[in-house]
Amino acid sequence: ARSCVHTENCFVPTSEIIAVEETELNKKQRNIGKWQKMAKPHAFTVYYVKKARNHRWRCSDVTFWCVDEHLCNQWIQALKELLEMQKSRPKQLLVYINPYGGKRQGKRIYEQKVAPLFSLASISTDVVITEHANHAKDNLFEVNINKYDGVVCVGGDGMFSEVMHGLIGRMQKDSGIDQNNPKAPLVQCNIRIGIIPAGSTDCICYSTVGISDPITSALHIIVGDCQPLDVSSVHRNNTFLKYSVSLLGYGFYGDVLKDSEKKRWMGPMRYDYSGFKTFLSHHYYEGTISFQPAKHTLGSPRDKDSCRTG
């Protein structure tokens, strides 16, 4: 089938091909035994997703050799046309990098592991290195958001939260919706958020991709994979506070996060330190939690139905 490329022991669907390029052959390659019979060999290389264990993805490649230059060009053109038909793939991305998150490796991770893959897949990027808290959130209210197919955050859960708040807030602002009204129907975001894990905690990335690995996440972004997430809004006295996709912390957990923010220089170790310190302070917390059960719903945690509300 034209939609598959055959390698030594597997078929690769078009949806998992990253790029196709003409391969330059040097003199050493032309002198290798089995190619000596070819007067002028031509070749093209297919870069594709190779799936390893534990949800880990890697970029692999296979080179196809042709005696005829016209045949080689025909293959390249046909495969590139198939890739153009993959409409869910991004062509232009806005990238925010948190240089202070986790072990302060965000910029290095992006430049060494992610940027080369985006370039290989012909994805153009505008990169912003954040300089302070809420830099990305504030910037999202100013940029021409319509020119991008997605926003990528390089960092941890905090960086994702900041980009999410900026993107959702921008959508509501452009639509004239008041976020402070808890009954206001929010406009759904039509721009995706990609996460390159490089933080102290990468729970959102792990729960959506299945592994905290920058290369795997970059490849999911390249092929246009999408995982819908439900978002909750938190209000108090008709004032908007936060959006949440993972968890809401109250009491002890809130005190741990508040104390740990002052010790970001410690890296991930700050959570252990602040947790132990807060535990020894022996505070107690009071509160009332209420919920409203859903009506007329059928479903099970073990069924294969995804929540597509909205």
Side-chain angles (χ1 to χ4, degrees), residues 90-302:
K91 290 185 172 61
Q92 187 150 2
L93 296 172
L94 176 58
V95 180
Y96 291 104
I97 300 175
N98 179 5
Y100 306 110
K103 297 179 180 178
R104 304 190 174 212
Q105 296 294 308
K107 191 170 182 289
R108 182 191 65 82
I109 287 172
Y110 178 78
E111 291 175 349
Q112 294 185 9
K113 296 184 177 182
V114 179
L117 290 173
F118 283 171
S119 177
L120 178 65
S122 299
I123 296 174
S124 59
T125 56
D126 290 335
V127 178
V128 177
I129 309 293
T130 59
E131 299 173 358
H132 52 80
N134 291 322
H135 183 170
K137 178 183 174 183
D138 296 339
N139 186 254
L140 279 166
F141 278 83
E142 301 171 359
V143 297
N144 177 14
I145 201 71
N146 296 319
K147 66 183 279 192
Y148 300 107
D149 302 307
V151 179
V152 174
C153 56
V154 183
D157 291 339
M159 190 60 178
F160 167 78
S161 178
E162 187 177 322
V163 169
M164 175 191 69
H165 279 82
L167 202 53
I168 296 178
R170 172 66 184 270
M171 293 292 130
Q172 310 321 307
K173 179 187 176 184
D174 290 353
S175 302
I177 291 175
D178 181 14
Q179 290 183 105
N180 289 318
N181 180 3
K183 294 184 179 179
L186 300 181
V187 174
Q188 188 172 354
C189 289
N190 54 4
I191 298 177
R192 301 177 185 181
I193 299 177
I195 311 172
I196 302 297
S200 301
T201 54
D202 300 302
C203 296
I204 304 296
C205 180
Y206 193 92
S207 64
T208 52
V209 178
I211 188 173
S212 179
D213 176 65
I215 295 176
T216 301
S217 293
L219 293 174
H220 276 286
I221 292 169
I222 287 170
V223 301
D225 282 344
C226 179
Q227 174 61 53
L229 285 177
D230 286 330
V231 182
S232 302
S233 61
V234 184
H235 292 78
R236 180 186 180 190
N237 298 331
N238 287 326
T239 301
F240 168 75
L241 296 179
K242 290 279 186 180
Y243 291 115
S244 172
V245 298
S246 178
L247 59 88
L248 292 171
Y250 167 78
F252 176 82
Y253 185 76
D255 282 348
V256 170
L257 288 182
K258 184 178 179 181
D259 186 75
S260 68
E261 278 299 303
K262 305 171 187 175
K263 302 174 179 63
R264 296 193 70 89
W265 55 270
M266 294 179 66
M269 280 292 293
R270 68 182 185 271
Y271 295 121
D272 295 330
Y273 173 82
S274 295
F276 185 64
K277 178 182 173 183
T278 306
F279 174 75
L280 291 179
S281 67
H282 214 61
H283 289 165
Y284 67 93
Y285 309 90
E286 293 182 356
T288 302
I289 298 175
S290 61
F291 67 93
Q292 183 175 349
K295 298 178 181 178
H296 310 297
T297 58
L298 294 173
S300 163
R302 296 181 182 85

Side-chain angles (χ1 to χ4, degrees), residues 66-82:
C66 309
V67 181
D68 182 74
E69 183 178 7
H70 179 65
L71 178 62
C72 183
N73 291 334
Q74 276 188 311
W75 270 102
I76 293 172
Q77 187 61 33
L79 289 170
K80 285 188 174 181
E81 287 176 3
L82 285 173

Side-chain angles (χ1 to χ4, degrees), residues 26-36 41:
N26 57 39
K27 294 180 180 179
K28 289 183 180 180
Q29 287 173 308
R30 291 184 179 181
N31 291 331
I32 295 174
K34 61 180 179 180
W35 305 120
Q36 286 179 349

